[in-house]
Amino acid sequence: MADKFFAWYGEVFKDSALSAREKSLIALAVAHAVQCPYCIDAYSSDAYEKGWSESQMMEAVHVASAIKGGAALVHGVQMMNKVKSIAM
Amino acid sequence: MKSLKALQHALADAGHQIDILEHEKDLPLFTGKMKQAGLLPLLPTQPEIFQVNVGKMCNQVCKHCHVDAGPDRKEIMTKTTMQLCLDVLANNPSFKTVDLTGGAPEMNPDFRWFVSEIKKLKRHIIVRCNLTIILANKKYHDLPDFFKQHEIEVVSSLPFYTQDRTDRQRGNGVFEDSIKALQMLNAVGYGMEGTGLLLNLVYNPAGAFLPPSQIALEKEYKDALLERYNIQFNQLYVITNMPISRYLDYLLVSGNYSSYMEKLIQAFNPVAAANVMCRNTISVGWDGYLYDCDFNQMLDLKIGCSGSDHLSNYSSSAISEREIILNQHCYGCTAGSGSSCGGAVA
């Protein structure tokens, strides 16, 4: 199972329609969104080694945070609907 | 910023550097890895590249410099020693290429004479030009024309195509001057299609990590430099930083030494090891002593030819029968796709 996972994982990060360099920056943003400490270390190194600057990497983290923050905020609609359903 | 030597830093002593490299616990010996790969002893092939370090003086003080070069270094090759180089070249036609390095080789007062004399011997000449020297003083502004006149291949460090990374490694303002110098070289035809004037760039990682793929990075460099600065060049050479001198100092101070060595060891590639540059290169020091490579030169590990380790007693048979001197820093040339003065080797 592990062999299959790592073979797939390795394939995902190869140069293809997106470059390995672009994929590294996406991985860095996702690592922050899922708050995976190991992934953050791994893709901070990988993205920097692949030539992304600190400001570009920080912008990627902001994008991840904006999506997470936005997603949290729009769940406020669910909250309001629930309150509406039980309130007089 | 001063050189380690001017600062009287312990790492200015080659013996101290070797002590550190040899006494790191739990790191396998490079010679052991080579033995496993069937490459011990490492033997030379036909000598083809005659690499001459014409002096340690430089207008820059780069953080990764394995030479510990800088404006305060006074070790400069004399015209007499240059003549000894020319004598060896004249008697050894297998050397097809003369690779001039430093320091900034152009700062040697006899640099232009030396180049002209080598050209008379009909050898291909490479100059490792740091770019900023072209703008450093009015007397160097004509270097692009001089290079062109002597059909020199120019190899220049540009650690990255952005200012931030380049200046962090090579000093403030280096990127801006490097771009201007590259534009001057392009203006006389260097790096331009159809001119035959070769302009190759060198990437070094600006930190404690290994370089990425040479092919992929070359495309990025070409796209970025053309789009942003209208600069063209021929090839990008990706070079791994050697854990010696100022880069060793950086690794130790930043706490990255052990992990960097582990990265190099994990990435040991027997194919790269079989193609290391020391097999077809002779490295000459500013004082005429002979070494297997420029890194061994900076660690004062002279060539393994007793009685024939100086230009004045050069023996082609002793050179071809020698065993190449290896130590722990050699992991830097065998990691991943390998590393040489001409970039990746595997």
Side-chain angles (χ1 to χ4, degrees), chain B residues 308-328:
Chain B
S308 183
D309 61 0
H310 191 271
L311 286 169
S312 58
N313 49 27
Y314 189 92
S315 160
S316 53
S317 58
I319 293 287
S320 62
E321 288 162 14
R322 78 192 195 277
E323 291 180 11
I324 292 168
I325 305 292
L326 304 173
N327 208 299
Q328 295 298 80

Side-chain angles (χ1 to χ4, degrees), chain A:
Chain A
M1 292 280 277
D3 287 346
K4 285 181 178 170
F5 171 79
F6 286 115
W8 167 77
Y9 192 98
E11 201 63 34
V12 163
F13 280 91
K14 282 184 179 168
D15 280 317
S16 189
L18 290 172
S19 68
R21 184 169 180 267
E22 290 164 334
K23 288 175 182 179
S24 180
L25 193 65
I26 294 170
L28 178 71
V30 175
H32 282 78
V34 298
Q35 292 167 310
C36 164
Y38 170 78
C39 310
I40 290 170
D41 267 4
Y43 286 99
S44 296
S45 300
D46 191 64
Y48 192 74
E49 289 173 21
K50 286 187 163 62
W52 295 109
S53 67
E54 289 105 313
S55 58
Q56 288 169 322
M57 289 161 66
M58 186 52 85
E59 283 188 20
V61 172
H62 275 281
V63 170
S65 305
I67 295 294
K68 276 207 95 169
L73 194 59
V74 295
H75 277 74
V77 175
Q78 183 182 345
M79 171 191 75
M80 294 306 289
N81 287 342
K82 184 65 187 174
V83 170
K84 205 178 287 180
S85 72
I86 59 169
M88 291 182 78

Side-chain angles (χ1 to χ4, degrees), chain B residues 43-315:
Chain B
L43 300 174
T45 55
Q46 173 97 319
E48 293 172 310
I49 300 168
F50 194 74
Q51 188 174 61
V52 186
N53 192 312
V54 296
K56 297 184 179 181
M57 185 180 282
C58 190
N59 59 315
Q60 292 183 187
V61 190
C62 301
K63 285 183 186 166
H64 71 301
C65 183
H66 70 279
V67 179
D68 190 27
D72 56 48
R73 297 304 298 261
K74 307 301 177 199
E75 300 92 333
I76 288 286
M77 184 175 275
T78 63
K79 205 168 180 177
T80 308
T81 305
M82 287 178 173
Q83 185 58 57
L84 291 174
C85 290
L86 295 167
D87 295 343
V88 168
L89 284 170
N91 293 324
N92 292 276
S94 74
F95 287 117
K96 306 291 184 205
T97 298
V98 180
D99 185 340
L100 300 178
T101 187
E106 304 89 340
M107 291 179 84
N108 184 307
D110 298 309
F111 168 76
R112 295 189 192 217
W113 172 81
F114 193 37
V115 166
S116 302
E117 293 300 308
I118 297 167
K119 201 66 198 166
K120 287 179 191 168
L121 296 172
K122 299 190 177 358
R123 304 302 165 88
H124 177 65
I125 304 173
I126 295 172
V127 171
R128 296 191 180 269
C129 172
N130 70 15
L131 296 174
T132 62
I133 190 68
I134 295 172
L135 292 138
N137 187 298
K138 200 176 173 183
K139 67 181 176 181
Y140 300 123
H141 289 357
D142 67 338
L143 277 170
D145 289 319
F146 176 79
F147 292 154
K148 180 181 180 179
Q149 185 191 341
H150 292 83
E151 299 169 302
I152 285 170
E153 176 184 341
V154 177
V155 177
S156 295
S157 276
L158 187 71
F160 210 58
Y161 51 78
T162 60
Q163 180 174 355
D164 174 60
R165 286 204 191 192
T166 300
D167 285 0
R168 277 192 207 191
Q169 185 181 93
R170 295 174 79 77
N172 288 337
V174 166
F175 182 76
E176 194 180 333
D177 283 351
S178 298
I179 292 298
K180 286 179 191 164
L182 286 170
Q183 288 166 337
M184 289 167 74
L185 287 162
N186 274 179
V188 300
Y190 269 99
M192 310 302 280
E193 203 176 334
T195 63
L197 295 169
L198 295 177
L199 172 60
N200 298 319
L201 299 183
V202 173
Y203 163 91
N204 293 95
F209 52 90
L210 305 187
S213 150
Q214 185 164 285
I215 296 169
L217 194 61
E218 180 180 282
K219 187 180 180 310
E220 277 176 46
Y221 260 67
K222 287 198 169 182
D223 291 347
L225 289 175
L226 185 64
E227 186 186 318
R228 297 174 196 179
Y229 307 106
N230 199 29
I231 286 170
Q232 296 185 56
F233 67 97
N234 296 101
Q235 280 185 278
L236 181 74
Y237 297 153
V238 160
I239 296 184
T240 303
N241 288 319
M242 289 293 135
I244 65 173
S245 195
R246 278 191 214 137
Y247 190 68
L248 176 58
D249 180 43
Y250 156 75
L251 290 174
L252 291 167
V253 169
S254 64
N256 282 302
Y257 174 64
S258 296
S259 63
Y260 186 73
M261 291 303 293
E262 281 164 15
K263 277 183 197 172
L264 292 179
I265 291 163
Q266 280 176 5
F268 177 82
N269 178 355
V271 177
N275 293 316
V276 282
M277 65 177 183
C278 50
R279 300 191 75 180
N280 70 344
T281 302
I282 293 295
S283 165
V284 184
W286 68 275
D287 51 3
Y289 279 97
L290 306 174
Y291 305 84
D292 293 308
C293 72
D294 204 48
F295 305 114
N296 279 9
Q297 183 181 143
M298 300 314 148
L299 291 172
D300 201 22
L301 298 170
K302 291 190 177 67
I303 206 159
C305 302
S306 56
S308 183
D309 61 0
H310 191 271
L311 286 169
S312 58
N313 49 27
Y314 189 92
S315 160

